[in-house]
Amino acid sequence: MARVRLIDVAELAGVSMKTVSNVVHDYPHVAPALRQKVQSAIDELGYRPNLTARRLATGRTGMIALAMPEMDHPYFSELSRYIAEEATRRGYRVLIEQTLSDPVAERAVIGDREAGLVDGVIFHPVQMGTLDIAKLAPGTPLVLLGEAAMPVMTDHVMIDNVAAALEGTQHLLDSGRRRIAFLAVTDGDITGSTTQRLLGYQQALIEAGLPVSPDLVLTARKFSAEAGGDAITEALAAGLEFDGVVCRDDKFAIGALKALQAAGKSVPGDVAVVGWDDTFVGRYTSPTLTSVAPDKMAIASEALSLLEDRIDGYQGVGRHRIVGHSLAVRGSTPAS
Amino acid sequence: MARVRLIDVAELAGVSMKTVSNVVHDYPHVAPALRQKVQSAIDELGYRPNLTARRLATGRTGMIALAMPEMDHPYFSELSRYIAEEATRRGYRVLIEQTLSDPVAERAVIGDREAGLVDGVIFHPVQMGTLDIAKLAPGTPLVLLGEAAMPVMTDHVMIDNVAAALEGTQHLLDSGRRRIAFLAVTDGDITGSTTQRLLGYQQALIEAGLPVSPDLVLTARKFSAEAGGDAITEALAAGLEFDGVVCRDDKFAIGALKALQAAGKSVPGDVAVVGWDDTFVGRYTSPTLTSVAPDKMAIASEALSLLEDRIDGYQGVGRHRIVGHSLAVRGSTPAS
DNA sequence: CTGAAAGCGCTAACAA
DNA sequence: TTGTTAGCGCTTTCAG
């Protein structure tokens, strides 16, 4: 019960604190006999080093913070898992910071009024612009995730959104679709992901010699499957014709799937659907969902590499890592 | 850059550390003039209190650990979200501990060789029995989640699995189904959730005067949608007839949905399906999934209440909290 | 290869 | 109301 300290072990073993510490840390140069004696003292007392004290002495916490909008959003929960695994592999523990896309919470993540909590932060911003971030960022090592505008001073990991959107659209074009819509979002996307994806979509149309019609860009009112579905339903009601739709997000795509079916359209027969993030859910809708698949594992490991550099003292300018992506082709698009 | 300490602020402001500390903590009795002076010194230096040092001095970390099998499993990610929110509300930060159902990782959660990391632990065990847990549990405040066998010495939050399974089965019976299967899991469920749910299922059958046939208890080989689907497919191939199935888990239910459709059975026409956990995915399958819905928010708040008691020194025997559940009726079962 | 002592930055009891 | 001082438990020079 009463907590045992290093010095207690030292006394029982009849050695100094340093020696006990050496044993605890598996230092090479300790006489076997001593090590033995110390170890049994440790066992007998049930000694467990106090991490807080160690941290104060070393200045390292062995923890990183992972700040993201929602931990139960499929994309973020999947990404978190990989980040957690990678962090564990590298000897860090993960502190979760859920921002719920709240600007105040986002500022708190990096402009934190307290120090010494974590060694570094991996942050997926939604509301904060890169300028804000650069301005507020304290000395804490920081790596940004997601599509925050490129010219940032901070380290940053993302996929090539333009290329990915182009490929997704291309896939639809390959199967003969000609009137392809894009399902975007109105608000809450300051970071420009939608813009970049839209760009890739338009580029694909242009390369195919097709017109880029603003009518075909639908916008959902919020980040939810329902809102995505509503946008589709309204477009259909307004008489818009399209035979394919590239969605900014799997959630939208799922809503779209439902809305299309409700409207009597077959997927992919009448309308083919491409989602984004290759989320777990997309494998269980019907039809299953074709989706742009960011290499989540690569995002996790790149992010941790960059962060670890910073933690180890790297002070250079912001680095940008583009990691791979692919298109997970499933039932919502015809085999091209 | 160079970190600023309390004493630096004190010197600049020409006061003692205690006074600065008072200001930082918003202590009531500080002369306004002094407070002002100290505050500007804080701002000028950009002072931010070092949490690690504070912890060492106070003995409280302000953090709790949340240990669960997989952070990207829909049920756990949803539950985590509520726990994180509740924790934030109560002033705690959440450290994530992903066990991946690995016995070694599970032991590490509570038998940790390090101390002083967190004030308490919320743990959803999969592999560890309650005896193991009780034996290993150090002085750390601990609350268990999930269906670990009841007679534990530790605090524990769960829903009434027997009753919930009974209601789910009852719902099927109400709509006239008579050959109702139960989709269980073979391994990896030491904690007895399956057993309790099976019990409720059987009880419902008995109350309805129906035979309890072991043939109707199907078992998936692992915890995945695929495995759940396979179990259904095999049962169908073996000529088993059933018009309803209660699944131990939404994942199984989702697999079942797919397998039934693949076999040409309509849902809920030919076979009605009930899932468990009322997970996000169930709202986007087709048909949508009827599912037993644990009150996740209640689980989160009860768990935190119990844990906070323990953190505050409560030493009594293990308490068990049964929180509410309901049945989210959707498209996979006919309106009764 | 092992021991002694000086911090790490903050809190809190005790004085003033 | 404000200042002084002794820890919190561990790490880490620097001697021995």
Side-chain angles (χ1 to χ4, degrees), chain B residues 15-16 18-19 29-31 34 56-57:
Chain B
V15 299
S16 81
K18 172 64 178 167
T19 302
H29 308 296
V30 182
L34 259 192
L56 183 54

Side-chain angles (χ1 to χ4, degrees), chain A residues 23 28 32 35 39 41 54 75 82 100 102 104 108 110 133 142 152 191 208 219 268 282 305 325 328:
Chain A
V23 171
R35 169 174 305 258
Q39 187 58 54
R54 178 178 296 169
Y75 175 67
Y82 293 121
L100 299 177
D102 171 39
V104 178
I110 56 170
I133 292 174
L142 174 67
V152 289
T191 53
T219 59
S305 292
H325 65 265

